[in-house]
Amino acid sequence: MVVPTTTEQQPIRGSSMDAERWPAIAIRGLSRRFGTNEALRGVSMDVEAGEIHALLGRNGAGKTTLIRALAGLVDPDGGEIRIFGTERSELIQRRAKELIGLVPSGDRTLYLRISGLENLTFFGRLHGLRLRAATDRAWACLRQVDLEEAARRPVSGYSHGMQKRLSVARALLMSPPVLLVDEATHDLDPQAARTVRDLIAERSAAGTAVLWATQRIDEIRGFARRVTLLDQGAVRFSGTVPQFMSRATAQRHLLRLRARGKEIDLGGASAAIGSLGNLAPTRDPDGEHYVLALREQATLGEAVARLVTSGLDVLSCREERSGIEEAFLTMTETES
């Protein structure tokens, strides 16, 4: 069963409305088919100025196709796209470069034989900047992604992560009001990924609309404002991150328990937890690890307190799966 979206978008009507009344990105009923594969099935969503909107989905869910359609690299079979009220066909002809910055998932558009500085200067010149202005802007963007020391090295000598950061710098080159980011932190180490997210968050705070497609599900907590989940080309969920997390079936924690002077009585421990959730043993050889699945509204602190009162010591506790990951799996494992 398809999970209904939490927000409903109204059909786009006409082109006489003021641009101020449009979201930064407006998508209505977008469809795209590749042979027998229906990559997008009636996708509708909005991204507001100053918002980071996360786009989640399994591999093949349609995230990259949607990003490419927004960037003008793929023609949809049906539906409508507007960027600040400008219809897609008009945008591609006249204003795409000044409005949209793109960080693609698999970037083959960097020139490997020249340096990072030369790449960015070249793209700045394509945007109409004079040589001095393009060079200055290139240096500024290289500093932002921590590539200043490698600026004059050929891109062929960059690691995959460095090339990805250079792609981010290129997308930011002209400070576009819309950023389309496809797997920007994939294969980056934690520090580099944080640098990229902080940079994107700064742009969002300055008013940039960001559509952030990712497989790093946990990174959207405290980063994105809203989230859209695609599954088999269709919108399965659209709403805030807390609303998304509320779809998780249960909070699961891995506990290491030890009885005081006797073996653990699973029945007694389960009775102590009562209506708060379920306790089940794992297959670990020491017999001390248990999975606690909390029911909705139950708190971990209360469950642990009941276990301690029943005569058990809680030696360790960790979240087995984050709420975001649990919600993602709950919705994508549901039969469409």
Side-chain angles (χ1 to χ4, degrees):
M1 179 180 68
V2 175
V3 179
T5 59
T6 58
T7 57
E8 294 183 0
Q9 293 91 358
Q10 297 301 315
I12 296 175
R13 302 185 186 281
S15 57
S16 61
M17 298 175 64
D18 294 334
E20 290 78 6
R21 297 181 61 185
W22 291 94
I25 301 173
I27 305 169
R28 299 294 182 271
L30 206 67
S31 63
R32 170 67 190 193
R33 182 184 293 274
F34 296 96
T36 60
N37 176 38
E38 199 170 9
L40 297 174
R41 298 187 292 145
V43 172
S44 295
M45 61 180 293
D46 290 340
V47 182
E48 300 290 345
E51 174 190 8
I52 298 175
H53 193 120
L55 185 64
L56 299 181
R58 294 175 179 270
N59 290 333
K63 303 188 302 299
T64 294
T65 300
L66 179 60
I67 292 282
R68 289 173 62 82
L70 288 168
L73 302 177
V74 168
D75 291 326
D77 296 324
E80 191 169 8
I81 295 172
R82 288 181 183 262
I83 306 294
F84 291 106
T86 302
E87 200 276 331
R88 180 181 180 275
S89 59
E90 179 183 352
L91 181 71
I92 292 172
Q93 293 172 6
R94 298 195 304 163
R95 303 183 62 204
K97 288 194 297 184
E98 66 186 71
L99 290 181
I100 297 174
L102 171 66
V103 182
S105 58
D107 195 357
R108 297 184 179 89
T109 59
L110 296 171
Y111 294 95
L112 300 182
R113 294 184 180 181
I114 62 176
S115 69
L117 176 62
E118 290 169 323
N119 264 275
L120 294 190
T121 302
F122 170 76
F123 287 112
R125 296 283 283 156
L126 284 183
H127 282 288
L129 296 180
R130 294 183 180 273
L131 179 59
R132 178 62 181 272
T135 303
D136 290 346
R137 185 62 189 149
W139 276 114
C141 290
L142 287 164
R143 283 192 292 271
Q144 286 181 306
V145 296
D146 199 23
L147 285 176
E148 192 172 11
E149 291 185 2
R152 298 189 185 277
R153 286 164 44 190
V155 175
S156 59
Y158 284 19
S159 67
H160 174 77
M162 293 170 69
Q163 290 188 24
K164 178 59 71 173
R165 282 185 281 150
L166 185 61
S167 292
V168 173
R170 185 186 58 190
L172 297 173
L173 196 60
M174 302 303 293
S175 300
V178 170
L179 278 174
L180 307 176
V181 187
D182 195 0
E183 303 290 354
T185 57
H186 179 65
D187 288 345
L188 294 186
D189 63 72
Q191 182 58 48
R194 182 173 181 176
T195 297
V196 170
R197 286 195 300 271
D198 288 347
L199 185 56
I200 297 299
E202 289 177 10
R203 298 307 310 152
S204 173
T208 300
V210 180
L211 183 59
W212 178 273
T214 183
Q215 289 287 356
R216 287 189 171 186
I217 301 169
D218 265 341
E219 76 180 358
I220 73 173
R221 192 200 322 250
F223 177 64
R225 180 191 303 172
R226 289 189 296 160
V227 56
T228 291
L229 175 66
L230 294 183
D231 188 31
Q232 299 178 26
V235 174
R236 203 159 192 54
F237 173 89
S238 186
T240 66
V241 173
Q243 287 171 337
F244 180 70
M245 293 176 64
S246 72
R247 299 298 181 95
T249 55
Q251 302 177 59
R252 295 166 61 88
H253 301 269
L254 184 65
L255 306 181
R256 185 184 176 201
L257 305 176
R258 183 172 294 168
R260 298 171 195 152
K262 59 182 183 300
E263 292 185 359
I264 293 176
D265 176 9
L266 180 59
S270 297
I273 292 174
S275 62
L276 297 180
N278 297 309
L279 190 68
T282 65
R283 296 181 178 179
D284 69 295
D286 60 21
E288 292 184 343
H289 289 84
Y290 293 78
V291 174
L292 171 65
L294 293 175
R295 294 194 174 93
E296 190 174 357
Q297 306 302 324
T299 64
L300 176 62
E302 185 177 358
V304 169
R306 290 191 184 187
L307 290 171
V308 172
T309 300
S310 72
L312 296 174
D313 290 327
V314 180
L315 304 180
S316 65
C317 174
R318 68 174 175 83
E319 194 173 32
E320 188 185 47
R321 233 183 234 159
S322 71
I324 290 175
E325 183 181 2
E326 189 72 41
F328 176 87
L329 292 174
T330 296
M331 283 186 275
T332 56
E333 287 173 356
T334 301
E335 186 176 343
S336 300

